[in-house]
Amino acid sequence: MKITVGTHKIPGYGPTLRTTRRMTEQAVRIVSRAVPGSMPDLEVILTNPRGMAELAAAASAELAGVLDKRTRAKAEREALREARDVSGRAIPRADGSALVLLNVDQHPGEAEMAVTLVHELVHCMQFSRKNVVERIVRDTRDGFRVERQSRRQAREYDRAVEQDEREAYGKEYLANQLVPGAAA
């Protein structure tokens, strides 16, 4: 498993990058032991809301197989509205790896970063489970209007997302092992 930690369009965050790199290595070990599944190759990127929207839209478009520039621009605008309030996001990639985006504006300290990192890594572990990535691809393709999914499939996807979120929130206590007093 390969772990890459970097920044996107945020100069001057060297100490935060080093801290995140250290925490990511520890968090991967902790989450791998506590959550069923296998950890994919990871790329963790620290960025601001605009960079988060840009990277999330590009990764989602790549996952859905969308090449149309207008559709990508629309997806980026929608992602920007969402990114202002989001702390982090995990996105599976077509090559089997995972992209984790962390919004530095939402993390004033190490404790908040640790909680978000653990939460997103739990989602990365969930990507290795049966039919999870296929479900995400189907919903993403539906969102880009490439291939419609039935109402039943949409409801199934919503239930699965809700269940995955409950699991991820339930595992946030693991952040205490990274930074004492970090769990929400």
Side-chain angles (χ1 to χ4, degrees):
M1 173 189 37
K2 190 173 114 184
I3 302 170
T4 308
V5 181
T7 60
H8 178 73
K9 293 190 177 179
I10 53 167
Y13 277 85
T16 306
L17 178 63
R18 286 188 291 278
T19 302
T20 305
R21 190 173 286 136
R22 177 186 50 79
M23 274 198 304
T24 301
E25 291 170 2
Q26 294 172 353
V28 165
R29 282 193 302 273
I30 292 167
V31 171
S32 292
R33 280 183 265 149
V35 179
S38 62
M39 187 67 74
D41 290 343
L42 291 175
E43 183 176 5
V44 178
I45 298 178
L46 300 171
T47 188
N48 56 20
R50 181 167 292 285
M52 196 166 168
E54 180 184 317
L55 294 171
S60 295
E62 178 188 333
L63 188 65
V66 175
L67 300 174
D68 181 27
K69 200 169 194 168
R70 252 183 35 204
T71 307
R72 282 180 179 236
K74 180 183 176 200
E76 190 172 326
R77 286 191 303 274
E78 290 172 3
L80 182 59
R81 279 194 291 273
E82 180 184 307
R84 291 183 184 113
D85 301 324
V86 175
S87 299
R89 187 156 177 210
I91 304 168
R93 287 192 162 155
D95 64 359
S97 66
L99 174 66
V100 176
L101 302 172
L102 299 174
N103 185 350
V104 293
D105 294 350
Q106 296 283 334
H107 301 100
E110 281 186 25
E112 294 85 358
M113 183 71 79
V115 171
T116 302
L117 190 58
V118 166
H119 182 97
E120 299 306 327
L121 290 177
V122 169
H123 287 311
C124 291
M125 292 290 284
Q126 293 166 346
F127 296 157
S128 69
R129 295 180 187 161
K130 185 176 180 184
N131 297 329
V132 172
V133 173
E134 290 81 11
R135 228 180 13 240
I136 293 169
V137 169
R138 186 178 60 226
D139 188 69
T140 305
R141 289 179 65 81
D142 181 59
F144 279 114
R145 307 232 186 288
V146 172
E147 184 179 319
R148 303 296 293 172
Q149 65 179 343
S150 68
R151 283 192 214 109
R152 179 174 167 237
Q153 290 170 328
R155 284 192 307 271
E156 176 189 306
Y157 176 77
D158 291 339
R159 278 193 303 270
V161 167
E162 192 175 306
Q163 182 180 352
D164 290 347
E165 283 297 326
R166 272 198 308 270
E167 180 184 10
Y169 281 118
K171 297 294 182 180
E172 285 182 356
Y173 71 91
L174 296 170
N176 272 335
Q177 297 176 29
L178 297 172
V179 179

